[in-house]
Amino acid sequence: MITRRSFLATGAAASLAACAQPKTVQPIAQPQAFREATPKLPEFYGAVDDKFFIPAVPEGVVPQRLWRQVVANPFPEYAEGTIVVDPDAGYLHLIQEEGNALRYGVGTGAAGREWDGDAVVQFTRSWPRWTPPDTLIARMPKYEPYSAANGGMDGGPGNPLGARALYLFQDGRDTLYRIHGGCEPQYLGKAVSSGCIRMLDQDAIDIQTRVKQHATVVVLPSYKTGIDVPVY
């Protein structure tokens, strides 16, 4: 059963639904030693032409631990096809057969760290429309042109949900929680969004092809608070 904690509050629910982009900050360049020590990215992180153009993930920005990769399943208690999100580690595991899991790097917002429990993937969308809630617009009027009354924001480059979105429901009701693309590479593994689970667009496209409708999603509790920038 979903554990709400502060998610029960309307404001938290609104920020979770928003999945808005973080405030623009100047990315911190990775040290030369890091760039030289990081192996070349797999080809699947190259540029993608998928209705809209998705640029390649730049070399030397994403730590190797956050690359999409098959690992030994750390959650054998869950059935094949289950998605397990570990917000503190910055990982999403898709449980596979034969003791394996497909692990993706993710970014998680502060509000998302106050939400944990079980849900299901009710449906997915390609290049989804984003509609910020009224409470977010009240705080950030710049989003008013994308309100529900104005039809939301069209899918495409610049849309906070990115190339794909998985919509999580519990007992037939929208949790306002999303797993989606649109994560800028320099923010992967960090808590910088408004709350949803953010993936690289290449990974969001990949997981949409693998996940089944009504697949179980387990979000583990977070033991961290606030915006966190982990040490690589």
Side-chain angles (χ1 to χ4, degrees):
M1 184 172 183
I2 293 292
T3 302
R4 299 290 181 178
R5 299 206 291 269
S6 61
F7 178 68
L8 285 170
T10 301
S15 66
L16 200 57
C19 299
Q21 298 282 15
K23 293 182 179 180
T24 302
V25 296
Q26 185 65 34
I28 299 175
Q30 296 287 0
Q32 181 66 27
F34 171 84
R35 295 196 298 269
E36 292 177 350
T38 303
K40 186 176 177 61
L41 281 164
E43 291 184 3
F44 52 72
Y45 284 129
V48 179
D49 188 3
D50 179 82
K51 183 178 180 181
F52 299 100
F53 178 76
I54 300 170
V57 177
E59 295 285 351
V61 175
V62 178
Q64 189 175 6
R65 74 175 186 89
L66 297 175
W67 296 357
R68 185 197 322 162
Q69 54 195 285
V70 176
V71 298
N73 180 14
F75 305 106
E77 65 271 31
Y78 295 118
E80 180 183 349
T82 302
I83 292 173
V84 183
V85 179
D86 184 342
D88 289 348
Y91 292 146
L92 181 155
H93 289 83
L94 176 61
I95 308 303
Q96 299 185 314
E97 58 185 1
E98 298 179 354
N100 294 321
L102 187 56
R103 190 178 74 192
Y104 303 82
V106 297
T108 310
R113 292 174 181 269
E114 298 172 349
W115 185 96
D116 62 81
D118 298 353
V120 299
V121 178
Q122 190 74 6
F123 55 87
T124 68
R125 291 288 184 268
S126 298
W127 297 103
R129 178 174 295 275
W130 176 60
T131 305
D134 292 341
T135 50
L136 177 65
I137 293 171
R139 297 194 309 273
M140 305 180 73
K142 68 179 182 179
Y143 291 125
E144 196 277 334
Y146 310 116
S147 67
N150 290 324
M153 179 187 288
D154 291 338
N159 185 304
L161 296 182
R164 301 289 188 273
L166 282 59
Y167 293 75
L168 306 188
F169 280 55
Q170 193 231 5
D171 296 331
R173 300 182 63 183
D174 191 350
T175 66
L176 306 179
Y177 203 69
R178 312 283 184 255
I179 297 172
H180 64 89
C183 188
E184 297 168 273
Q186 66 268 29
Y187 299 126
L188 198 68
K190 303 177 183 180
V192 292
S193 76
S194 288
C196 295
I197 298 295
R198 301 176 68 205
M199 309 178 75
L200 298 172
D201 276 325
Q202 288 87 342
D203 286 342
I205 291 171
D206 181 79
I207 197 170
Q208 189 208 32
T209 66
R210 300 174 186 274
V211 70
K212 296 180 180 179
Q213 187 177 17
H214 297 154
T216 299
V217 179
V218 179
V219 180
L220 302 178
S222 173
Y223 298 99
K224 296 181 180 180
T225 59
I227 298 298
D228 172 60
V229 180
V231 176
Y232 296 124

